[in-house]
Every structure is written in C-alpha cells, then in structure tokens.
Amino acid sequence: MYIDATSATSAAPAPGALLPRPRAAEPPFHLVATDLDGTLLRGDLTVSPRTRAALAAAGRAGARHLVVTGRPAASCREFLVAIGYRGLAVCGQGAQLYDATADRLLVSAALDRDLARSVVARTEEALAAGPLELAVVTAAPENRFVVTAGFADGRRPGWDAMVDREALWAQPIEKVLMRHRSVADDRVAAAAARAGAGEVSVTHSEKGMIEVLPAGITKAVGLGLAAERMGFAPADTIAFGDMPNDIPLLGWAGYGVAMGNAHPDLIALADEVAPRNDEDGVAVVVERLFAHVAPA
C-alpha cells in the first residue's frame, strides 16, 4: 500500500477508471501528462529541441507538464534534470510521487516479497513452458534494478547487478519484472494477471517486460494523486502514451493520445494517434493545441 510522507488523506480514482471524455481536443488543457520511454523520449533517450519548445509554449499558456512514467524516481531523475523539469512527477507505474524540484520522494508503495514469489510460481505453472526470466526493482529510495542473468541479452545502463533467482528476494522490493524467451509478452501478462488476480496489479510496459506491482497501482492512480495536489481534474488533462501500461493513463485523462509507435491496444482506445516518438509526436499535438502562444 502507499506510504505517503506528506498526507494520509489524498484520494485517488479507481484504478484504470475510464472517465467521461470530450472525444475531441477541446483546449485549454491545463495539464499535459506524458509517459517517458517511447513517448516523450526519442529512441536515443533524449527529448528533442522541438518537443522542449512545444512544452515551453504550453507552459507560457499556463499549462503544466507532468511526467507519468514506469521508471522509478531513481531511474528517471537524469532525464528530468536534462530537460530542466520542475515539480511533481509520477514514477514507478504510479507507485511513486516524486518532487523533482526538491529531489524528494513523497509517496511510495512496496510489494510483498512472499506474494510476489507466489505469483511468479503460479504464472510459471499456468504457462507450463519452463522458468521465467526475472528482475526486481528494490524498494525506495535506492530503487536498484536487479536482474537474473538471462533476463536480457547483455547488461543495460542502470542495471545494478545480475544475480541468481533466490538473491532477487534478499531486500524489500517495489515490483517484479518477468519475461519468457519463447512465450509472447501478451500471453505472459495474461497468465500473470490470472495468477495474481485481486492480489497484485500486472501491466505490460515495454517489449520483454511484464510488471507485477502492488494491488491497485496504475498510472491512473498516480496521475489522479498528482492532479489532485496540483488542483487539476481529468477534463483539464491531455495524456500521451505508447504501451498497455498507459491504458489507465489515457483512460483517466479527458483526452488521450497514443503515439504512432504505440501498442495496438492503446491505439484502439485513444482519442487521437500522434506521429511516432522519433517524429516528435508529442510536439506535433502540443503545437497545434497551443498555436496561439507567442514564441519565446
């Protein structure tokens, strides 16, 4: 469950709730909520000058930019610093509320390790295709990314260690990531969701990464918590994403935009499909909505 360092009374919408939508972009939007990977970030993990300029124009019009990412705060900090980001960010698939200005984690949620191990075992049993490759994100504030040796081909930047499966459970954790070398991601996600029904949340964040989170944690919950603190409602919000973990994000917002590179499940429910992340899709939409704003 949430551990809130500043308040125990903040309410959040039902996870993934689809709220009334305008079905047409009706500015002014006062909150521009964006995923990071595959959305705001290009393939080289940078934010283009065009996208920065578009978000700056939205800011001059009085809108706020809110990052809503699956990355834990410790992993997204460098990207926020690079674009001069200030204020709140939703991290860890909605499990964390992070104050980027103060570099302080305000809210975090932990996942019970015994429950996580049980869900992994039940998922493997349901798939009947051999063991899953696993990783965990350790509890805040460190949020170390610890993986088994077969989780991916080679070590990636930011991965803390490669360990055997038993060592994954040595410390408190925030989430488990799973993949299977020969079973499609969608099938792994469906099996994990059935195995953990009512006990955990399961989402698909990127290719080869199915995430098991504390029950009730979604990007919609994190966005709702941040928006409440910032004084915004769903109707004030336009949201951008690219993967199934962004379905609750777009569902909560008054207007939802899928990137051109998005998963088909997200495209199916979006109000609009923007160009791809490498084609500055966020900027294309934001420029149109805030075209009245004078250049800096």
Side-chain angles (χ1 to χ4, degrees):
M1 68 187 296
Y2 272 120
I3 302 172
D4 190 335
T6 60
S7 172
T9 60
S10 295
L18 291 175
L19 299 184
R21 307 169 71 81
R23 294 299 175 190
E26 297 179 358
F29 290 111
H30 302 296
L31 187 62
V32 180
T34 69
D35 174 41
L36 278 181
D37 296 273
T39 301
L40 191 71
L41 298 178
R42 298 184 294 188
D44 63 1
L45 300 183
T46 64
V47 179
S48 73
R50 180 181 180 182
T51 298
R52 294 190 194 196
L55 291 172
R60 292 195 299 277
R64 296 281 300 278
H65 175 213
L66 178 69
V67 163
V68 185
T69 177
R71 290 177 177 265
S75 176
C76 70
R77 185 180 295 117
E78 63 178 293
F79 303 105
L80 301 182
V81 169
I83 63 174
Y85 187 91
R86 309 286 288 176
L88 297 179
V90 177
C91 304
Q93 304 293 10
Q96 298 178 337
L97 192 61
Y98 172 63
D99 183 340
T101 305
D103 188 21
R104 185 163 67 98
L105 197 60
L106 305 178
V107 172
S108 65
L111 177 63
D112 182 86
R113 282 174 285 177
D114 289 337
L115 173 59
R117 296 176 75 168
S118 174
V119 170
V120 168
R122 282 180 267 164
T123 302
E124 289 176 333
E125 182 179 1
L127 292 172
L132 292 159
E133 296 296 344
L134 304 174
V136 300
V137 173
T138 63
E142 293 83 6
N143 288 140
R144 295 167 53 232
F145 197 96
V146 184
V147 307
T148 55
F151 186 75
D153 298 321
R155 186 168 178 171
R156 298 185 188 179
W159 287 9
D160 185 80
M162 291 187 179
V163 301
D164 60 37
R165 282 173 63 117
E166 192 59 31
L168 292 173
W169 318 111
Q171 300 180 58
I173 62 174
E174 286 197 357
K175 62 183 173 182
V176 175
L177 300 96
M178 56 175 67
R179 66 170 300 196
H180 198 285
R181 290 284 180 170
S182 61
V183 178
D185 287 347
D186 289 349
R187 187 179 163 208
V188 175
R194 289 192 298 270
E199 297 181 285
V200 297
S201 293
V202 176
T203 194
H204 184 188
S205 58
E206 64 176 273
K207 183 175 174 58
M209 288 193 183
I210 309 304
E211 300 192 21
V212 178
L213 303 152
I217 295 298
T218 70
K219 285 190 175 184
V221 169
L223 172 58
L225 185 63
E228 181 186 37
R229 293 186 180 211
M230 297 166 74
F232 298 122
D236 299 320
T237 307
I238 181 170
F240 296 78
D242 73 306
M243 285 296 286
N245 64 316
D246 295 314
I247 289 174
L249 172 66
L250 269 61
W252 190 93
Y255 191 78
V257 181
M259 307 304 291
N261 49 286
H263 190 282
D265 289 353
L266 192 70
I267 289 176
L269 66 79
D271 296 309
E272 178 177 346
V273 179
R276 301 173 63 88
N277 64 318
D278 281 333
E279 298 169 345
D280 296 331
V282 170
V284 169
V285 176
V286 172
E287 286 168 352
R288 185 187 79 231
L289 295 176
F290 295 94
H292 61 285
V293 180

